[in-house]
Amino acid sequence: MKRPVYFGTYSKGAGNGLLSGEFDESTGGLRLGGSLDIENPSYLVFDGGILYGVSETETYDGQSGGRLFSAAARGGGAMSLLSAQGTGGGGPCHLCVKDGYVFTANYGEGSLSVFERDGEGLIKPSQLALSHRGKGPDPGRQTRPHIHFAAVTPDDKYLAVCDLGLDRVFFYPYSAGAGLSAKAKVYRCPPGSGPRHMVFSGNGAFAYVLTEMGSTVLANRYEDGEMTLLQEASALPAGFYASSKKSSAAAIRISPDGGAVLASNRGHDSIARFGILDGGALAPPEFIMTGAEPRDFAFSPGGGWILAANQGDNMVTVHRADTGEIVGRAGMPKPCCVAFGE
């Protein structure tokens, strides 16, 4: 079966920006198709036949901040812009689409913007923004808040927000009818670790936080907006930091069968695969070697393949999910996100 797939890239101009393709589930073949000239579409979510994304810039339409956009995706890889709104915060790098809302994580100012959307994918200007205050211990990366992730929890009761600059995960009360509350429960990560993204187990009982600066996965028991740490697992091989190399973690996913947590490493240039043990802890990782700086990766809808967006060498690699073997490559400028269509 052939599936539509979309790629965010750090690029702009004719033939660049947002790219579309077609992926063959039976062979692992990837064929690129159309493009839409949107600058730095760094994160994408496909929902209800509409592609939503953030343009990671510092200014948009003469105002400070990036933009949130929606696009129609049609057969043959054709795409067209539906709507766009300024985020009011610089460097938006992640988004969550839920009910009639879109939430954007603005890395630059450490803010979260909240938008309303209609059933046709049209986005209204943001009427609400939450901003964090403070700093972390790292003088190079944590001089201010840096929100890097937002997602509604599996119980539909909270919006989980990772702040890399503050070493904290915030759980803001949420409901479809009332929207978002500003009073959050707070989970504290190890100082200087830089929480970037997180995922939940299929039953919602466990949450796994990926730390960018620590290159670790924090395995937690989750219940009602609170997490209890079970384990801090390194996403790098033992002894890696004894070398002169550096690495930072980027993306985290749960395997389609729910049996493993996977996290990508930029520097070691790999995807660490952790089996999930009884009780939610993680087994020691195995490694799938990718291209340079895998900023994002995604399982194909059928679960048999992994596509890795290797920003460092301008290439998407196609891997067999069971063995990690690379079976194909597709060149594109600084790929940073992979999103399969419906």
Side-chain angles (χ1 to χ4, degrees):
M1 179 179 293
K2 294 183 178 180
R3 307 273 193 170
V5 62
Y6 304 91
F7 302 98
T9 71
Y10 282 117
S11 68
K12 63 178 180 178
N16 294 314
L18 177 62
L19 306 181
S20 67
E22 186 179 71
F23 183 74
D24 191 326
E25 287 267 18
S26 61
T27 65
L30 174 61
R31 180 181 63 84
L32 295 182
S35 66
L36 190 59
D37 184 10
I38 295 176
E39 183 177 3
N40 297 349
S42 63
Y43 204 82
L44 307 169
V45 172
F46 203 86
D47 183 84
I50 305 296
L51 190 64
Y52 297 87
V54 284
S55 181
E56 190 173 331
T57 60
E58 294 304 316
T59 61
Y60 167 65
D61 199 24
Q63 302 294 319
S64 176
R67 67 171 159 169
L68 168 68
F69 66 87
S70 60
R74 294 180 292 274
M79 297 176 288
S80 61
L81 187 67
L82 291 175
S83 64
Q85 300 289 348
T87 62
C93 58
H94 195 270
L95 74 155
C96 170
V97 180
K98 182 67 174 180
D99 303 317
Y101 300 98
V102 183
F103 306 93
T104 67
N106 306 313
Y107 181 87
E109 283 81 7
S111 66
L112 179 83
S113 298
V114 184
F115 301 81
E116 293 184 4
R117 60 166 183 155
D118 67 15
E120 303 300 319
L122 299 181
I123 305 164
K124 299 178 182 180
S126 176
Q127 299 297 320
L128 174 67
L130 297 174
S131 296
H132 292 168
R133 296 182 179 180
K135 62 181 180 179
D138 189 292
R141 295 290 311 279
Q142 295 181 312
T143 59
R144 62 188 305 174
H146 292 300
I147 294 179
H148 214 307
F149 170 91
V152 173
T153 56
D155 55 17
D156 285 335
K157 295 171 63 176
Y158 300 90
L159 185 75
V161 174
C162 293
D163 194 317
L164 182 148
L166 302 183
D167 292 324
R168 296 177 184 179
V169 180
F170 295 79
F171 291 93
Y172 289 99
Y174 166 82
S175 71
L180 196 67
S181 167
K183 189 174 182 179
K185 297 181 180 182
V186 180
Y187 172 86
R188 288 170 171 80
C189 301
S193 61
R196 178 182 171 98
H197 286 185
M198 65 185 297
V199 292
F200 291 86
S201 61
N203 62 6
F206 304 103
Y208 301 93
V209 179
L210 181 66
T211 71
E212 176 177 331
M213 298 161 61
S215 293
T216 58
V217 177
L218 308 177
N220 300 272
R221 188 176 300 278
Y222 171 81
E223 185 176 3
D224 193 25
E226 296 184 354
M227 295 194 297
T228 303
L229 183 65
L230 300 173
Q231 178 191 21
E232 182 177 2
S234 176
L236 294 168
F240 178 83
Y241 280 118
S243 69
S244 60
K245 295 181 179 180
K246 295 182 179 180
S247 190
S248 62
I252 186 168
R253 307 283 186 186
I254 291 273
S255 62
D257 64 5
V261 170
L262 293 87
S264 64
N265 296 303
R266 297 170 295 181
H268 184 247
D269 297 338
S270 65
I271 296 172
R273 189 204 310 260
F274 302 86
I276 299 177
L277 305 174
D278 291 343
L282 300 175
E286 301 173 341
F287 294 94
I288 297 171
M289 304 312 297
T290 63
E293 300 177 31
R295 184 181 176 92
D296 191 29
F297 65 95
F299 281 89
S300 64
W305 311 89
I306 295 173
L307 273 62
N310 304 296
Q311 181 182 344
D313 59 8
N314 303 307
M315 183 182 300
V316 168
T317 46
V318 180
H319 303 255
R320 294 187 183 277
D322 53 355
T323 66
E325 175 192 2
I326 295 176
V327 299
R329 296 173 172 84
M332 64 187 71
K334 297 183 179 179
C336 55
C337 184
V338 183
F340 278 91
E342 297 170 350

